Amino acid sequence: MNKLLSMLLLLAPGLTLAADFTVAQKGKAFSVPSLSIKVGDKVSFRNDDPFAHNVFTLSDPMQFDLGTYPQGQAKSVSFAKAGLYEVECAIHPEMKLLITVKP
Ligand SMILES: [Cu+2]
């Protein structure tokens, strides 16, 4: 093992790299019912239905509203605060996604 690699491995536990997740909206449902991520991770919401969807949450840690957008488009949000987020679609109240953001 060379010196540089061993140094990187020593530093690695302190490194937290943000991850990217994608959740699709298809058949008036989110592709997963729940998602567990870490602070700083980004979630992209992709509309795979031939009609518009919306993405928003009123949850305490961080409220957001990504607006309404048509098939083929995706919008993303980075979760800067830990906690529980109930993500919904304003057009289809039955659409729900629970995101757990761990510190
Ligand atoms: Cu919808």
Side-chain angles (χ1 to χ4, degrees):
M1 191 182 300
N2 68 42
K3 250 184 188 171
L4 180 63
L5 186 56
S6 15
M7 239 169 71
L8 284 173
L9 286 175
L10 281 173
L11 291 170
L15 283 176
T16 45
L17 295 173
D20 285 356
F21 295 86
T22 297
V23 174
Q25 301 157 294
K26 196 172 174 70
K28 290 187 187 176
F30 289 105
S31 55
V32 289
S34 62
L35 191 64
S36 187
I37 63 174
K38 287 184 174 172
V39 166
D41 287 350
K42 191 168 85 176
V43 180
S44 180
F45 299 93
R46 189 186 69 227
N47 185 349
D48 283 348
D49 268 329
F51 41 82
H53 284 298
N54 161 280
V55 177
F56 78 97
T57 184
L58 297 175
S59 294
D60 280 334
M62 184 185 76
Q63 300 188 359
F64 61 82
D65 186 346
L66 303 182
T68 300
Y69 50 97
Q71 182 176 31
Q73 284 191 19
K75 295 202 178 182
S76 62
V77 60
S78 291
F79 289 81
K81 285 187 178 176
L84 210 57
Y85 296 75
E86 192 177 68
V87 177
E88 303 174 68
C89 167
I91 303 166
H92 309 103
E94 69 272 29
M95 291 178 67
K96 286 192 195 303
L97 165 66
L98 200 62
I99 298 183
T100 305
V101 180
K102 293 176 181 168

